[in-house]
Structure formats: C-alpha cells, structure tokens
Amino acid sequence: MKTIHVILSGGVGSRLWPLSRKSRPKQYLPLFDNKSLFELAVERNKLVCDELYVVGGIDNYQLSREILAHLGISHYQEIVEACPRNTAAAIAFAAFEADPEDILLVTPSDHLIENETLYLKAVDAAVALAKSNFIVTFGLPPKNPETGFGYIEYDVNEVISFREKPSKVMAETFVNSGNFLWNSGMFCFKAGVFLDELKNYQPEVYAASKTVFFKKNGIYLNELLSMEIPSISVDYAVMEKTKKIKVVPSYFEWSDMGSFLAIYDQIPEHDIRKSGSNLPLNTKKLVEFVGVENLILVETEDAILVLNKNNAQDVKKVYERLEKENPEYLK
C-alpha cells in the first residue's frame, strides 16, 4: 500500500484573467515568492506521499514538466487529458493507474495552504480513515460568509449534507450556526474504493473513463473517446451520494486563490503595493488612486482589468464573454 499524491492541474483560472491565460493558467504563475501554486503543492505533499501522479491537460502538461524538472523531480506518473471532462473522470484516471489498495491524496494544483504542521495533521487523520475504506474530504472552518465556495454540514467526522454555493443570506446562516465547513476540494481514499463508488453511482462515467484510460497512447488520452465521458464533478458524482463519506475538519490556513480578492487578502496590509483599500497588480507603471476605494487594477501586455474587489467572482463573466467575442485575449 502506497500513499500517492494526485495533483489535478487542468484548471484555467478564469476568475484571474488577464493574469491567468490558457497558455499559463493561474497554478503556474510565480506569484508567491517566485513560486507557483503548482510548485508549492508538489513540495508540500512530498512530505507525506510516496509517489506523485500529475493529471493535466494537453495545453499545459509541459508547464508541469518544467516545474518538476526545476524541483529535481524525475520520478512521477503523467496522465494527459485530451480535453477537460471534469474532476470525476480526472480522478478516475489516477485511480485506474494505481493499485486498488493504494491511498490517493487528491489535491487541486491552485490552492495556497499555510501552517504545515496542521496540514500534515489533517492528512494523517484522512489517511487513517481512508485505510478503513472511507472516502474522505477536508473541510475548513469558514472565516466569512463566502458565496463562491461549497459548504459541508457536519458533526465531528460525519457528513450530514453538502450545500452548493449559497446566497449571501444562506452563507451567513451557515457561518453563524457553527455546523458548516468550507468544502476544500481535497480528498483521500483507496483507489479501489473510489472506483467502486464511481461505478455504483455513475456507471457511465466509470465505463467511459475506463475505456479511455486503457486505450491511451502512452501518457496521452484519446480525444474522440474522451468526449464520450459525461462531464461531471467528483462532488456530484460520488461525494454527495456515497455512504462511505467522512470529513476531516482542518485548521490550516487555506485559500483556493480563485479570485483577485483572495490575492488581495494574502498580501500583508503593510505591503507597499497596497494603496489604502486599493491594489495595483502586475504593472510597472505608477498607479495613483484618488477618491475611490476597494479597487484592484491588473495590467498585462495586452489588457487592463479594473474591478471592485467585492465583485471578484464576476471576472469569470468577463472571461466567458471574451470566449465568445474576443478569444485571442484568452490565449
């Protein structure tokens, strides 16, 4: 039995446009002391895992390779998706690659996690539950009524319910109750247990993913066959249905770094880049803010974004519009 870190690296980071592009999504941007979120995730989980599997897309797997080479890591497994089919299939590919008794620690590649001691404590607890054939998710005590996250209603390690991204009023109710955790999108389970549950609850996803995996060309998955896989998140496919679910309440510092508000919150208040409640990012120009508050200005070579930091989730709408009208700005 091995413990394998499965890092999912296929996201595009649409809420961090124009910094995050299809050619270099947010998980590869060196925003944290010249390190990327992908690099930090690999380094963090080397401490607790025996092997590394990287599941990524055809557009960015070379970026993963570059970072792993920089870290001096040459022994790892790659699975290159021809097209995105969401997290249920991505995790299934990793599970097919592993032995049924292997423990998979599945993490996104774009989360910022601090306080290593508490992180390792949570992972140890999750691995212990996974060894007993449970499917484990990690939940974080909410710091505010965030509407961009899913929530887990819980009691100790028992999951009572999953709640998708709530309204502001509902999020406030969740936070005030003390019975809810943020859903981190991190999981731990035996490969065989996950595949059994996927086959039970989503047989089409299971069967199509199995076909694609075992007909792959080396590390590359076939595009035509991949398109036959129903696109569904692992939360909908397995986590919200399985009777084997457990949650580990986790107390490390965590951010999914999914928006410019998350980046703003990570920058210390005394940082010279902050101008009152305003923040310029990625610009070499002098930026002065006069008579405005809560603004973030982001500059790249071909685009400028100005947003109220409290509307950070809405950047995704800009990305979606550009996909239809000006896709050249997403490359």
Side-chain angles (χ1 to χ4, degrees):
M1 178 189 292
K2 303 183 294 293
T3 301
I4 299 168
H5 177 208
V6 178
I7 185 166
L8 306 179
S9 62
V12 297
S14 58
R15 289 174 292 172
L16 286 181
W17 180 88
L19 289 184
S20 184
R21 303 293 182 102
K22 289 182 178 179
S23 60
R24 189 170 291 272
K26 65 173 179 177
Q27 59 268 30
Y28 300 108
L29 299 173
L31 297 175
F32 307 94
D33 294 328
N34 286 321
K35 291 187 176 183
S36 67
L37 293 168
F38 180 92
E39 183 175 353
L40 292 172
V42 170
E43 290 182 326
R44 178 167 59 247
N45 290 289
K46 277 199 308 183
L47 301 171
V48 288
C49 294
D50 306 302
E51 292 188 18
L52 171 66
Y53 290 0
V54 182
V55 184
I58 190 70
D59 292 332
N60 60 38
Y61 77 100
Q62 294 285 7
L63 298 174
S64 298
R65 286 184 173 184
E66 289 172 13
I67 291 172
L68 292 170
H70 172 73
L71 293 173
I73 297 173
S74 57
H75 180 69
Y76 58 93
Q77 297 290 335
E78 283 181 292
I79 300 170
V80 181
E81 296 179 287
C83 53
R85 304 312 293 161
N86 219 315
T87 51
I91 295 170
F93 299 142
F96 284 123
E97 180 74 41
D99 293 331
E101 288 295 302
D102 287 341
I103 303 290
L104 305 185
L105 174 62
V106 181
T107 77
S109 58
D110 56 359
H111 289 183
L112 184 65
I113 290 175
E114 298 174 296
N115 196 319
E116 187 176 285
T117 300
L118 291 177
Y119 177 74
L120 297 179
K121 182 178 180 180
V123 170
D124 285 345
V127 169
L129 287 167
K131 287 179 178 178
S132 297
N133 296 322
F134 290 110
I135 287 182
V136 186
T137 185
F138 295 77
L140 288 303
K143 296 181 178 180
N144 53 63
E146 173 63 57
T147 59
F149 299 156
Y151 287 73
I152 302 169
E153 186 179 9
Y154 81 110
D155 183 13
V156 190
N157 293 124
E158 300 300 319
V159 174
I160 299 171
S161 68
F162 286 91
R163 307 292 183 90
E164 285 309 307
K165 298 173 182 178
S167 66
K168 189 74 169 180
V169 172
M170 189 60 70
E172 289 172 351
T173 302
F174 291 168
V175 172
N176 292 336
S177 75
N179 299 325
F180 287 82
L181 301 167
W182 281 339
N183 188 351
S184 72
M186 296 169 47
F187 310 103
C188 188
F189 38 68
K190 288 182 181 176
V193 170
F194 174 78
L195 289 175
D196 287 344
E197 293 298 274
L198 182 65
K199 185 177 182 180
N200 184 26
Y201 293 107
Q202 293 289 335
E204 291 183 21
V205 176
Y206 172 87
S209 299
K210 184 176 182 180
T211 297
V212 170
F213 180 80
F214 286 103
K215 290 188 176 182
K216 69 184 188 299
N217 180 16
I219 63 173
Y220 303 100
L221 305 183
N222 181 277
E223 183 173 7
L224 288 177
L225 292 175
S226 295
M227 291 303 295
E228 299 298 317
I229 304 173
S231 178
I232 184 172
S233 74
V234 70
D235 295 276
Y236 286 133
V238 174
M239 300 302 157
E240 296 183 8
K241 296 181 172 66
T242 179
K243 303 296 190 294
K244 297 183 177 182
I245 193 71
K246 297 288 184 182
V247 64
V248 171
S250 306
Y251 300 96
F252 49 83
E253 290 294 315
W254 171 89
S255 171
D256 76 339
M257 298 312 294
S259 71
F260 285 111
L261 177 58
I263 291 180
Y264 179 94
D265 288 341
Q266 287 299 319
I267 296 175
E269 289 303 317
H270 61 267
D271 193 294
I272 60 172
R273 287 174 292 176
K274 284 190 172 179
S275 174
S277 62
N278 303 309
L279 175 69
L281 281 176
N282 203 54
T283 180
K284 296 178 180 179
K285 298 173 183 175
L286 173 66
V287 178
E288 297 287 350
F289 296 93
V290 180
V292 293
E293 296 181 351
N294 298 318
L295 292 187
I296 299 176
L297 181 145
V298 187
E299 181 179 14
T300 63
E301 186 174 317
D302 62 347
I304 293 174
L305 173 72
V306 181
L307 69 146
N308 186 300
K309 68 185 184 186
N310 297 317
N311 294 91
Q313 298 291 336
D314 294 334
V315 176
K316 185 175 183 178
K317 297 177 183 177
V318 176
Y319 187 97
E320 291 169 347
R321 177 171 54 78
L322 290 173
E323 256 186 326
K324 299 174 183 176
E325 299 175 3
N326 290 292
E328 65 271 19
Y329 287 104
L330 305 182
K331 294 178 181 178

